[in-house]
Amino acid sequence: MSTLDRTWWHKQWRHLRLWRRFFAQAVVRETHFRAHFLTTLLVGLVQLGLGIVPTLLLFGFTSEVHGWSRAEVIALVGVFQIVTGLLATFLAPNLNRMTTYLTEGELDGVLLRPVSSQFYLTLRWINVAELTNVASGIVVLVIGLVQADITFGAGQVVQAVVLVACGLVLLTAVWSAMSFLAFWLQSVNPIGFVFLNLMEAGRYPLVFFPVAVRTFLTFAFPVAFATTFPVRALAGDLGWGPVALGVALAVVAQGLVRLVWRRGLLTYSSASS
């Protein structure tokens, strides 16, 4: 292994250890605010229930819509809950602070740290309580799969997991790029609301939308990779082509968002100077 390779791996390991410290600190904070944990759990359950109600109402009049059964859509709602729970746990607490970092000079201190500033600003804060939504989503997913009588093999599970991972990376890239616009717009607080509203489309199968909207939800705002595609993979209706496409898009998206971040830093002037 070359010196360059060893340096790269050492850097990645250092970032991993730092993230583990972030997580440990988040757990400690959560033990001091137990009411927040319970409130997050209750709110998450209410949101999950509100997500299932439209499905029950829709399938009260029919047994199938565009090839999707009620049980499969319930499984999709479970996957959606998992994905939004992970985003709320690891991403939202950080990107919602982006305006504060830039307008109050907090970015200055981050830039002095011996770690990637993009890594630090994207993953520093963790809302552990939101993991309860991930757990409830897993329960709903299992219930939906059992009701749909879907049997799947290891290959289908791998496809689904990779697709969810790619979907999370893609959505993270989109939200990060939108938040990094703060370098030019100063305030991007409304952008978080726009992102979350667009995320609501992930509650429903892609085929429920017109062709133009499907294209948008696959390539421009790729929530389909995080919700619809994984469920279709578990049902055995998806090949490896979409998986390869998801991986390729995730790699490209990370490269592009990195460019946006670096370009933003070039335009940044300290708010504390």
Side-chain angles (χ1 to χ4, degrees):
M1 183 180 295
S2 66
T3 302
L4 183 61
D5 289 337
R6 285 196 299 269
T7 302
W8 186 86
W9 281 109
H10 176 73
K11 183 177 180 181
Q12 304 313 309
W13 178 245
R14 183 175 60 185
H15 281 79
L16 177 59
R17 286 187 299 173
L18 181 61
W19 184 86
R20 287 172 56 187
R21 189 171 301 174
F22 292 161
F23 190 83
Q25 291 174 347
V27 172
V28 172
R29 283 196 304 270
E30 203 61 50
T31 60
H32 294 160
F33 301 97
R34 297 178 184 177
H36 174 255
F37 183 89
L38 293 175
T39 301
T40 303
L41 173 60
L42 291 176
V43 171
L45 291 176
V46 170
Q47 292 175 335
L48 181 59
L50 292 175
I52 293 177
V53 167
T55 299
L56 298 178
L57 293 175
L58 174 62
F59 285 93
F61 301 95
T62 181
S63 60
E64 184 179 292
V65 179
H66 290 297
W68 284 73
S69 66
R70 182 182 68 176
E72 289 173 331
V73 176
I74 288 176
L76 176 62
V77 172
V79 174
F80 176 82
Q81 184 80 351
I82 294 171
V83 170
T84 53
L86 290 172
L87 291 175
T89 300
F90 300 108
L91 197 64
N94 299 283
L95 296 185
N96 287 337
R97 286 181 164 89
M98 194 58 60
T99 296
T100 301
Y101 278 122
L102 296 179
T103 59
E104 297 184 8
E106 293 185 30
L107 178 58
D108 300 347
V110 175
L111 293 175
L112 295 175
R113 296 176 180 273
V115 295
S116 166
S117 55
Q118 183 185 353
F119 166 86
Y120 190 93
L121 264 65
T122 305
L123 298 173
R124 168 63 183 90
W125 298 100
I126 300 172
N127 189 351
V128 177
E130 290 288 350
L131 290 177
T132 58
N133 293 325
V134 177
S136 62
I138 293 174
V139 172
V140 173
L141 170 61
V142 171
I143 291 174
L145 293 176
V146 171
Q147 290 184 349
D149 195 25
I150 294 177
T151 56
F152 44 82
Q156 292 163 261
V157 174
V158 171
Q159 286 181 344
V161 171
V162 172
L163 284 167
V164 168
C166 289
L168 285 169
V169 170
L170 288 167
L171 291 171
T172 297
V174 170
W175 197 354
S176 296
M178 294 169 68
S179 297
F180 295 163
L181 291 176
F183 282 111
W184 297 273
L185 303 179
Q186 299 306 312
S187 177
V188 291
N189 289 331
I191 286 180
F193 294 105
V194 173
F195 180 89
L196 294 176
N197 285 329
L198 289 174
M199 275 294 300
E200 290 298 314
R203 292 184 185 273
Y204 308 100
L206 194 63
V207 295
F208 283 18
F209 301 97
V211 174
V213 179
R214 295 181 205 173
T215 303
F216 176 80
L217 296 177
T218 302
F219 298 103
F221 190 85
V223 68
F225 283 96
T227 56
T228 295
F229 291 168
V231 176
R232 297 323 302 170
L234 290 174
D237 299 331
L238 210 65
W240 287 97
V243 178
L245 176 61
V247 173
L249 289 176
V251 172
V252 172
Q254 284 302 300
L256 291 176
V257 79
R258 182 64 177 167
L259 289 176
V260 173
W261 173 256
R262 289 181 174 177
R263 179 61 180 172
L265 287 179
L266 291 177
T267 67
Y268 176 71
S269 57
S270 174
S272 60
S273 60

